[in-house]
Every structure is written in C-alpha cells, then in structure tokens.
Amino acid sequence: MSGVVVLGGAGGIGSAIVRALLAEGRQVAVVDIAPPPLELADVPWIVGDATDSAVIGAAFDALESATGLVHCLLSEHRAPLAEQTSDAVLSVLNIGAVSALAPLQQLLARAGGGPCAAVLVSSIHAALAWGGQAPYAMAKAALEALGRAAAVELGPRGLRCNVVRPGFVMVPRNAHRWQDAATRDALTEVQPLGELAQPDDIAAVVAFLLSDQARLVSGATVTVDGAMTAVLREPTT
C-alpha cells in the first residue's frame, strides 16, 4: 500500500493515527516538532516545523510513494476575546489552518494525477464557541473550509479531501480533566452514548477515510463526539 504523510504525529490523536495506518500495512512518514515516542522510533520522522514547505517535502521524500496526507496540528492561545491580539490569532491560524495548504499541494503533485486522499483533523470548536478559545475555533473553522474547497477544486485532479471533527478525546494534554472523577462524570453525562472517545476512535475514522472503502467520500465532515453536539438543550422548567 502507498504511503501517508502525517503532520503532528507525536500527539495523542496523531500517534494513534500513525499506529492505525501502520497496522494496515501503510508506509508512514511523520512531521512534528517533538521526537517520536519509543514505539514509533522506526517510523521515518522529520523533527521540524510543519509550516515549512521544505520540511514537508522531506517527509514526502522519505516515502517510496505517497497518496495520503493527514493534517493533525494543534495550536492555541487561550485568553478572553477582549484581550486577544492580531499577532496571536494569526500565529494560531497559520499553524492550525494555513499550514495545510502546501502539504495538500505537494500531495497532489506527488500523486501525479492519480487518486490521493487527505484528512484534516478539526474539532467541534469549529462550530461552537467556548470562552477563551476563539483563535483555536477560528483555525479549525478555516481548516474545514479549506477541506471543502480542496474537495471541490482538486477533486477533478484525483484528490479526495475530508474532515474529521472530534469532540472531547482522552489524550494526555487534557488528562487533568478525565483523570478527575467528578469532571469525567460531567463530561460523560453530556455524551448521549455515555462514553468518552479514545484516540483510537478518531484514528479508525481517519484510516477509513484514507482507504479505498471511502473512494466516493469527499468534501465530508465526520463528527466523532458521541452525539454530544446533536443534543438540543432546552430549559427543563
């Protein structure tokens, strides 16, 4: 099977995606500012800035052939909206959304007109608002818009592009929340399925969207949140 470049493969969701693709027999090359975890030490791993086109090119070069891309980068600047600065917002947008453009272009070029697929990992923050998280939400919304544009404009050239929109996922960076019993119960209570997502749950959807089984799926946003955002919340009194 042909290879996949994963941007942001060191994080909780990113590393789960890498493992899922390897389990399917896919070749994988990773770009991340962090070194690989021990279990992924044998994976071609470019430690560098995923906003640098040359770094992205090195990841593609590490594969015999590449027809897949996963964008799983994260940047935040938490502060009240009234205190946000343009520089902070632009930095988050650059890492969280603009950084997907050059890799999509490189994937298209490497595929040489053949079929290829990209998955952009978004967040439910793209469609909802939570205090102090405006730049992150803006970046994820922009990433989703880019995904739709890529599916429409580049589809005739062989590219499928889809978005996966996770809800709350139990990853190391938010462990302080799900390891606290009261907070975990509160998070679980708002999930109609009554269960919090694991990184592997997101990885499985990403792997499917990259596979031939999803050959006619493009321009879609797949929400993986246990139906949390499908709930219509109304006063009970």
Side-chain angles (χ1 to χ4, degrees):
M1 301 178 74
S2 59
V4 180
V5 170
V6 178
L7 310 181
I13 293 176
S15 60
I17 291 169
V18 173
R19 291 193 299 270
L21 295 173
L22 291 173
E24 291 187 347
R26 302 289 293 259
Q27 290 185 322
V28 179
V30 175
V31 175
D32 204 297
I33 57 172
L38 288 177
E39 70 272 17
L40 298 177
D42 294 334
V43 173
W45 198 284
I46 312 300
V47 177
D49 184 354
T51 66
D52 186 334
S53 293
V55 171
I56 302 302
F60 278 104
D61 287 342
L63 299 172
E64 294 179 11
S65 66
T67 60
L69 171 71
V70 178
H71 183 281
C72 192
L73 299 181
L74 168 68
S75 180
E76 294 180 298
H77 185 265
R78 297 194 179 199
L81 188 58
E83 299 172 13
Q84 291 284 356
T85 66
S86 296
D87 286 345
V89 172
L90 286 171
S91 176
V92 173
L93 284 170
N94 189 43
I95 296 171
V98 179
S99 64
L101 177 58
L104 284 168
Q105 293 169 334
Q106 289 200 35
L107 172 64
L108 198 68
R110 301 281 178 145
C116 55
V119 177
L120 312 180
V121 180
S122 181
S123 166
I124 58 173
H125 284 261
L128 302 169
W130 191 21
Q133 288 278 51
Y136 178 69
M138 292 166 67
K140 291 304 186 182
L143 185 68
E144 293 191 4
L146 175 59
R148 291 189 295 271
V152 171
E153 292 192 37
L154 303 179
R157 297 175 61 184
L159 175 71
R160 292 191 301 106
C161 189
N162 292 289
V163 171
V164 172
R165 184 191 280 178
F168 185 87
V169 183
M170 299 168 65
V171 294
R173 74 183 185 89
N174 60 29
H176 64 285
R177 301 186 70 192
W178 51 265
Q179 288 179 347
D180 176 78
T183 304
R184 179 168 175 161
D185 288 346
L187 288 166
T188 305
E189 186 177 351
V190 298
Q191 308 271 346
L193 289 182
E195 186 176 355
L196 298 181
Q198 300 281 351
D200 289 346
D201 296 315
I202 312 304
V205 177
V206 171
F208 165 73
L209 290 172
L210 289 173
S211 74
D212 290 340
Q213 290 177 302
R215 68 184 187 86
L216 291 181
V217 181
S218 191
T221 297
V222 181
T223 302
V224 187
D225 71 347
M228 183 179 73
T229 56
V231 177
L232 175 62
R233 303 195 182 282
E234 295 183 335
T236 56
T237 59

